[in-house]
């Protein structure tokens, strides 16, 4: 799935001007790299070392990257944040650069070889010490998340947020209406008894060029702005939801990798199918809301179809969930 551009374009001269102000002749001219939904990245060298400059409207995303980089163990490759701040109304961060190919760009064969390394990295994320933090859902850089329970965090997807505004009115105006959203919210509510009270670190945005890989496996897990506290099985559901959007990727490879990993690392998670079902619904509703807020109606209709399919199935009966789980 293509990554959307920044909603407000950056002034072309901003990054070069910022680099000259911060570093003078210690740094090379920044070269544009990938642009995401929330920031633009640039490559440069600083004192001879490769670094990445990111500029965007949401400085809290960069602050969360700094938090995770500080807490991550050796199994979770997160580049260090070397500097961050604000300039001319924009937030920026300078991080160490890690090399690799974006997961999104890998062939079916390459992504199949990479999956076991990615799942081990997600396990390492789930082992990050969250002492001194609180709550469930998307957390702020001070370690606080807004919800008292994991089910409450999931059901909040029906509420608009400052970053994704206006989607409810857009759905009504489009003729699609709010019926799919209401149907999608009712199903996770029914699955609440199956959801754990685990509170672990979740990435929550594993595609959109946020995971880099090399020949030996994952080389970097980037952009923790959407990170949550909750059930780490959510990241597996994220992969399950988005996998069919990449035609060269075989669903069977993901299903086999997940089942092999779960069986190798301990008992198969309790209520596995019900939990995945609830998280798939949440992810589809989240994507539906985001795309509606950006007037991306072909994608909205695709996500509506997924929501209605999941909502009409019994808990854990979705075809998106690995057979035999």
């Amino acid at each position: 799935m293509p990554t959307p551009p920044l909603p407000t374009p950056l002034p072309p001269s901003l990054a070069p001007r910022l680099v000259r102000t911060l570093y003078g002749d210690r740094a090379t001219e920044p070269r544009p790299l990938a642009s995401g939904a929330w920031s633009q990245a640039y490559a440069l060298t600083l004192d001879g070392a490769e670094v990445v400059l990111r500029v965007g409207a949401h400085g809290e995303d960069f602050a969360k990257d700094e938090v995770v980089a500080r807490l991550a163990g050796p199994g979770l490759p997160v580049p260090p944040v070397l500097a961050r701040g604000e300039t001319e109304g924009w937030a920026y961060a300078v991080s160490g650069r890690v090399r690799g190919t974006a997961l999104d760009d890998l062939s079916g064969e390459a992504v199949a070889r990479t999956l076991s390394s990615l799942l081990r990295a997600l396990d390492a994320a789930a082992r990050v010490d969250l002492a001194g933090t609180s709550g469930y859902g998307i957390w702020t850089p001070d370690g606080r998340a807004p919800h008292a329970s994991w089910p409450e965090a999931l059901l909040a997807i029906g509420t608009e947020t400052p970053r994704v505004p206006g989607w409810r009115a857009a759905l009504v105006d489009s003729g699609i209406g709010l019926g799919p959203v209401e149907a999608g919210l009712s199903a996770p509510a029914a699955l609440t008894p199956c959801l754990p009270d685990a509170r672990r670190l979740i990435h929550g945005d594993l595609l959109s060029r946020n995971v880099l890989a090399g020949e030996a496996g994952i080389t970097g897990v980037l952009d923790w702005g959407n990170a949550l506290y909750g059930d780490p099985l959510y990241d597996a559901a994220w992969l399950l939801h988005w996998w069919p959007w990449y035609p060269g990727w075989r669903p069977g490879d993901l299903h086999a990798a997940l089942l092999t990993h779960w069986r190798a690392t301990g008992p198969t998670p309790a209520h596995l199918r019900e939990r995945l079902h609830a998280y798939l619904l949440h992810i589809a509703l989240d994507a539906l809301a985001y795309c509606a807020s950006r007037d991306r109606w072909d994608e909205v209709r695709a996500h509506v179809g997924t929501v209605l399919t999941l909502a009409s199935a019994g808990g854990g009966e979705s075809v998106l969930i690995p057979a035999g789980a």
Side-chain angles (χ1 to χ4, degrees):
M1 185 185 68
T3 301
L6 279 168
T8 303
L10 287 169
S13 63
L14 178 63
R17 192 163 61 249
L18 173 61
V19 169
R20 286 194 297 271
T21 299
L22 289 175
Y23 300 118
D25 59 7
R26 294 170 54 202
T28 59
E29 190 80 0
R31 295 181 294 102
L33 292 171
S35 173
W38 309 115
S39 66
Q40 167 70 53
Y42 302 85
L44 62 149
T45 62
L46 174 62
D47 297 330
E50 290 189 310
V51 298
V52 171
L53 166 69
R54 288 171 295 153
V55 184
H58 301 284
E60 64 270 21
D61 291 359
F62 303 149
K64 289 177 71 172
D65 290 345
E66 185 174 31
V67 170
V68 177
R70 186 175 67 247
L71 296 176
L76 180 62
V78 179
V81 175
L82 308 175
R84 61 182 181 86
E86 294 186 3
T87 183
E88 300 178 32
W90 294 89
Y92 70 85
V94 178
S95 304
R97 186 173 185 183
V98 293
R99 289 283 186 169
T101 301
L103 191 67
D104 313 55
D105 297 335
L106 295 180
S107 67
E109 293 76 13
V111 80
R113 292 194 302 269
T114 303
L115 276 170
S116 60
S117 172
L118 174 58
L119 296 178
R120 289 194 299 272
L122 296 179
D123 283 351
R127 291 193 297 269
V128 166
D129 185 359
L130 299 183
T133 67
S134 62
Y136 291 83
I138 294 180
W139 46 276
T140 51
D142 62 2
R144 291 184 291 183
H147 301 289
S149 71
W150 179 229
E152 178 186 298
L154 295 175
L155 293 173
I157 194 62
T159 303
E160 292 188 1
T161 64
R163 200 180 290 201
V164 186
W167 59 266
R168 296 179 69 89
L171 286 173
V172 172
D173 292 344
S174 73
I176 293 172
L178 296 175
V181 176
E182 293 164 358
L185 288 171
S186 65
L191 293 169
T192 293
C194 299
L195 304 183
D197 59 4
R199 204 175 68 84
R200 304 293 183 190
L201 180 63
I202 303 166
H203 184 278
D205 194 9
L206 290 169
L207 294 167
S208 300
R209 315 185 73 81
N210 291 334
V211 175
L212 302 180
E215 288 297 322
I218 297 302
T219 58
V221 184
L222 317 175
D223 192 355
W224 292 82
N226 205 45
L228 309 92
Y229 298 145
D231 181 1
L233 203 59
Y234 186 94
D235 275 331
W238 182 273
L239 294 173
L240 286 165
H241 174 86
W242 290 110
W243 211 260
W245 290 68
Y246 293 79
W249 296 2
R250 297 181 296 266
D253 292 336
L254 176 59
H255 297 173
L258 287 170
L259 290 171
T260 298
H261 181 78
W262 289 328
R263 289 166 180 162
T265 54
T268 301
H271 300 297
L272 173 62
R273 295 174 68 81
E274 292 83 1
R275 288 157 67 186
L276 289 174
H277 195 115
Y279 306 157
L280 286 165
L281 272 162
H282 183 272
I283 292 161
L285 286 167
D286 186 38
L288 188 164
Y290 175 79
C291 291
S293 76
R294 298 293 186 94
D295 293 326
R296 290 159 52 179
W297 294 105
D298 287 346
E299 291 169 69
V300 169
R301 283 184 280 272
H303 294 306
V304 165
T306 299
V307 168
L308 294 177
T309 297
L310 289 163
S312 64
E317 293 180 5
S318 167
V319 295
L320 295 175
I321 297 173

